[in-house]
């Protein structure tokens, strides 16, 4: 078995020593005598890559996480002050927290009970080494204690199956492929891919995420299994949409969302991931989303004037979410429901998506007025006010859809030029903050100017008239506004 050594930071080294001291001091606790402690998974991978990590999973050979966590808590009640002093001497805080239990949920492929805490600035999970035994009449595994090799082989990828032995201080590669795959930049499942994904279908999205994050290539047999329809069906049935949403969120916020989104299309996962799992409507066209991804990535890569005006990088998750849901442009409610139920988008994100679809006709009408040279400042300002602070996202969505559905050979260039001119028009007329402009007259002041009529629906219209007038008037005053609104009393049916 290949092995390597690692250099620990001050907090990591003190945490390691604390665990070993606990084992030595608590020998009377059942399972402690034969206990082998290992750091596992992502921390080991990131350490080898030279990437800082503040999360450590601790694998236990002969105890459950709860058993060890309770022993650790008893140990720290007595010895905690010593470690706090050592941490202070080395220039960092101990930050010792109580342990917490996170229950398993086998019905949703969350098979492990996890014990979590925080020590020396490190988020820690304690869990026993395990193997998964699948019975013929059950889709959920029986969790049993396993060896380090059995535990490694049940993980999602070889590069995530590396251990760091706290006694030997060496990296252990029980799959025999993890270190080599890191060197070759390959994402591979430790066992046969189909069964790996069948056991836990969420691993499909996790492997996509790691491939994007690490800039690794997914191994070919894994790709084939990731496109298998039976695995897709298992993903729908076994995995909570919250866990799907977490993976998609991480992909969209990661260093290479484009590759991740393309993989989802490539493996024919688009409907499985993004659509409403309880929906009955015909699935939308994933090719529209693919074209939108390509357009968004081009904008991000070119960093042109369009990029500076749209600012899609300010909220990358939202930009990629909008691109993913361009196929739903014909129905804002279906788009809202799909995003909320499919990937558990936040209500704010889904509302921005819905509004982007509902307000798209107004955006296009305003663009036409600008192109014709007939747009007033108020025409543009009032359109942006409807979009509120999401106006850039709404314009981005509209452009992505236009490019994705264009039948022109040079669709991107032509359409991007149109949208850029519109955005420059907004900038040149100082309308970027149009949504923040407050009416110069409030409701009471408008009613006073109109000789105190009874309040009614007319008041909303009157406020819009005031704001529109503000956009078109240089240095407006309250007196001018009151005079203007009074002169239009008949428009509100008040005469």
């Amino acid at each position: 078995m290949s092995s390597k050594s690692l250099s620990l930071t001050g907090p990591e080294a003190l945490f390691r020593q604390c665990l070993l001291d606990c084992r030595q001091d608590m020998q009377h606790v059942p399972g402690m005598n034969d206990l082998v402690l290992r750091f596992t998974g992502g921390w080991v991978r990131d350490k080898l890559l030279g990437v800082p990590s503040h999360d450590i999973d601790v694998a236990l050979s002969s105890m459950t996480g709860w058993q060890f966590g309770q022993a650790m808590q008893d140990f720290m009640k007595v010895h905690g002050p010593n470690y706090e002093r050592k941490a202070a001497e080395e220039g960092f805080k101990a930050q010792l927290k109580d342990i917490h239990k996170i229950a398993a949920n086998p019905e949703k492929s969350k098979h492990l009970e996890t014990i979590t805490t925080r020590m020396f600035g490190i988020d820690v999970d304690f869990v026993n080494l395990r193997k998964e035994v699948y019975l013929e009449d059950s889709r959920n595994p029986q969790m049993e204690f396993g060896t380090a090799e059995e535990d490694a082989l049940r993980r999602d990828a070889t590069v995530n199956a590396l251990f760091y032995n706290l006694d030997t201080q060496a990296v252990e590669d029980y799959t025999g492929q993890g270190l080599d795959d890191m060197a070759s930049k390959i994402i591979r499942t430790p066992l046969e891919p189909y069964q790996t994904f069948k056991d836990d279908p969420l691993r499909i999205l996790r492997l996509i995420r790691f491939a994007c994050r690490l800039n690794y290539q997914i191994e070919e047999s894994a790709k084939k299994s990731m496109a298998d329809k039976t695995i897709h069906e298992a993903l729908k049935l076994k995995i909570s949409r919250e866990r799907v949403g977490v993976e998609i969120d991480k992909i969209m916020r990661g260093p290479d969302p484009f590759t991740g989104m393309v993989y989802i299309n490539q493996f024919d996962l688009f409907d499985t991931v993004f659509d409403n799992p309880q929906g009955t409507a015909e699935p939308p066209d994933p090719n529209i989303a693919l074209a939108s991804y390509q357009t968004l990535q081009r904008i991000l890569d070119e960093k042109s004037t369009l990029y500076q005006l749209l600012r899609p990088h300010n909220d990358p998750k939202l930009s990629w979410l909008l691109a993913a849901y361009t196929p739903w442009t014909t129905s804002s409610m279906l788009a809202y429901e799909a995003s909320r139920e499919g990937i558990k988008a936040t209500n704010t994100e889904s509302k921005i998506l819905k509004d982007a679809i509902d307000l798209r006709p107004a955006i296009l009408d305003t663009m036409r007025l600008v192109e014709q040279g007939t747009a007033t400042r108020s025409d543009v300002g009032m359109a942006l006010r409807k979009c509120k602070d999401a106006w850039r996202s709404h314009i981005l969505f509209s452009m992505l859809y236009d490019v994705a559905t264009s039948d022109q050979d040079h669709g991107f260039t032509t359409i991007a030029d149109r949208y850029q001119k519109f955005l420059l028009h907004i900038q040149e007329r100082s309308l970027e903050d149009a949504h923040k402009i407050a009416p110069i007259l409030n409701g009471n002041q408008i009613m006073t100017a109109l000789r105190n009529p009874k309040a009614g629906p007319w008041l909303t219209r009157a406020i819009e008239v005031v704001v529109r007038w503000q956009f078109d008037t240089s240095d407006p005053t309250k007196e001018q506004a009151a005079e203007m609104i009074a002169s239009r009393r008949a428009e509100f049916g008040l005469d």
Side-chain angles (χ1 to χ4, degrees):
M1 180 178 65
S2 300
S3 67
K4 284 188 176 184
S5 60
L6 296 176
S7 176
L8 305 187
T9 64
E12 291 165 348
L14 187 56
F15 178 50
R16 169 186 171 272
Q17 190 58 53
C18 181
L19 294 177
L20 295 176
D21 291 346
C22 175
R23 181 184 66 181
Q24 179 64 32
D25 191 75
M26 306 294 284
Q27 285 290 300
H28 61 280
V29 176
M32 196 70 79
N33 186 54
D34 298 322
L35 179 65
V36 178
L37 294 151
R38 295 177 172 91
F39 294 165
T40 71
W43 178 87
V44 183
R45 179 201 65 229
D46 289 347
K47 201 72 178 175
L48 289 167
L49 292 170
V51 177
S53 177
H54 302 290
D55 303 276
I56 298 181
D57 293 342
V58 181
L60 312 164
S61 66
S62 55
M63 303 177 72
T64 66
W66 182 246
Q67 289 168 336
F68 184 81
Q70 288 181 309
M72 170 63 78
Q73 194 153 273
D74 290 340
F75 173 78
M76 294 304 287
K77 286 178 181 177
V78 177
H79 301 284
N82 293 332
Y83 292 99
E84 290 177 341
R85 177 178 51 78
K86 290 179 181 178
E89 290 173 354
E90 295 187 33
F92 55 87
K93 295 182 179 179
Q95 296 180 313
L96 305 176
K97 304 293 183 182
D98 290 338
I99 64 171
H100 300 279
K101 181 187 293 187
I102 301 175
N105 184 1
E107 288 300 316
K108 296 299 182 181
S109 285
K110 184 70 175 177
H111 305 305
L112 296 178
E113 174 187 271
T114 304
I115 307 305
T116 183
T117 187
R118 183 172 176 83
M119 301 177 69
F120 312 111
I122 302 166
D123 292 318
V124 179
D125 287 345
F126 294 110
V127 66
N128 60 278
L129 293 173
R130 84 281 185 194
K131 61 180 178 180
E132 299 170 357
V133 179
Y134 285 82
L135 304 178
E136 290 185 5
D137 60 348
S138 175
R139 70 187 185 192
N140 296 318
Q142 300 292 321
M143 302 305 300
E144 299 180 2
F145 270 96
T147 65
E149 181 178 3
E150 288 169 332
D151 188 280
L153 292 174
R154 299 312 306 164
R155 292 178 178 260
D156 52 12
T158 58
V159 298
N160 295 335
L162 300 167
F163 297 154
Y164 172 76
N165 188 306
L166 269 62
D167 289 301
T168 65
Q169 300 187 65
V171 174
E172 300 170 334
D173 184 4
Y174 284 98
T175 70
Q177 296 178 294
L179 293 172
D180 288 342
D181 284 343
M182 285 194 69
S184 301
K185 297 189 175 182
I186 292 174
I187 294 291
R188 183 198 315 274
T189 58
L191 296 177
E192 192 276 325
Y194 180 86
Q195 192 60 48
T196 297
F197 299 136
K198 190 73 171 178
D199 291 348
D200 184 355
L202 190 67
R203 288 168 175 165
I204 295 178
L205 298 180
R206 284 175 56 82
L207 262 61
I208 289 174
R209 172 163 64 87
F210 287 122
C212 299
R213 174 183 168 186
L214 302 172
N215 193 25
Y216 284 12
Q217 295 296 312
I218 299 175
E219 184 265 336
E220 288 302 318
S221 64
K223 285 184 178 180
K224 183 177 179 181
S225 294
M226 291 166 88
D228 191 289
K229 290 296 183 184
T230 61
I231 302 297
H232 299 176
E233 191 62 25
L235 180 61
K236 283 185 177 180
L237 293 174
K238 295 180 67 173
I239 306 300
S240 72
R241 300 313 294 191
E242 287 79 7
R243 296 183 72 201
V244 170
V246 167
E247 293 300 323
I248 296 301
D249 183 90
K250 290 179 179 179
I251 290 171
M252 289 180 173
R253 295 183 191 277
D256 186 10
F258 175 73
T259 296
M261 305 296 270
V262 170
Y263 268 140
I264 289 171
N265 271 48
Q266 179 181 330
F267 301 142
D268 203 18
L269 280 162
F270 183 80
D271 297 343
T272 302
V273 170
F274 291 110
D275 206 354
N276 182 353
Q278 281 81 46
T280 58
E282 185 72 18
D285 184 359
N287 290 320
I288 294 177
L290 181 60
S292 296
Y293 303 152
Q294 293 166 341
T295 299
L296 177 54
Q297 188 61 44
R298 182 169 177 177
I299 294 171
L300 292 168
D301 286 343
E302 291 183 354
K303 291 183 171 57
S304 63
T305 300
L306 185 65
Y307 168 89
Q308 300 297 334
L309 295 169
L310 278 176
R311 305 178 189 175
H313 53 294
N314 283 2
D315 190 344
K317 194 275 179 82
L318 178 60
S319 296
W320 287 102
L321 183 149
L322 292 173
Y325 282 94
T326 49
W328 278 265
T329 300
T330 55
S331 174
S332 64
M333 185 51 67
L334 288 179
Y336 179 88
E337 292 172 350
S339 62
R340 286 289 281 164
E341 298 301 324
I343 60 171
K344 293 298 179 181
T346 66
N347 185 59
T348 298
E349 291 165 344
S350 296
K351 183 65 165 58
I352 290 173
L353 169 63
K354 182 179 184 301
D355 289 346
I357 295 173
D358 289 337
L359 296 173
R360 183 173 132 79
I363 290 173
L364 294 177
D365 287 345
T366 306
M367 284 181 60
R368 279 190 284 271
L369 292 176
V370 170
E371 289 169 344
Q372 294 164 4
T374 59
T376 63
R377 192 168 184 272
S378 61
D379 288 332
V380 181
M382 295 303 287
L384 297 182
R385 280 180 66 80
K386 292 179 182 178
C387 299
K388 301 179 182 177
D389 60 353
W391 65 268
R392 287 186 175 88
S393 295
H394 292 171
I395 293 174
L396 171 65
F397 178 90
S398 186
M399 178 185 163
L400 293 178
Y401 181 76
D402 280 351
V403 175
T405 56
S406 172
D407 57 3
Q408 302 177 34
D409 291 338
H410 303 288
F412 176 87
T413 302
T414 302
I415 294 169
D417 183 62
R418 286 188 64 214
Y419 278 86
Q420 180 168 302
K421 288 178 179 177
F422 180 51
L423 290 161
L424 285 170
H425 182 94
I426 293 170
Q427 183 185 67
E428 289 163 0
R429 282 151 184 79
S430 303
L431 287 168
E432 297 99 322
D433 293 328
H435 59 286
K436 297 180 181 179
I437 293 178
I440 196 169
L441 299 179
N442 61 32
N444 289 333
Q445 291 168 330
I446 290 174
M447 293 180 71
T448 298
L450 293 169
R451 302 195 297 275
N452 295 309
K454 183 179 179 181
W458 63 268
L459 185 56
T460 299
R461 169 64 181 147
I463 291 173
E464 290 183 356
V465 167
V466 168
V467 175
R468 181 176 283 275
W469 173 83
Q470 281 178 246
F471 280 124
D472 291 330
T473 304
S474 299
D475 301 320
T477 65
K478 288 182 179 291
E479 292 75 16
Q480 290 173 329
E483 183 179 347
M484 179 277 301
I485 203 69
S487 70
R488 301 177 66 168
R489 178 182 169 90
E491 291 182 29
F492 310 122
L494 300 178
D495 284 339

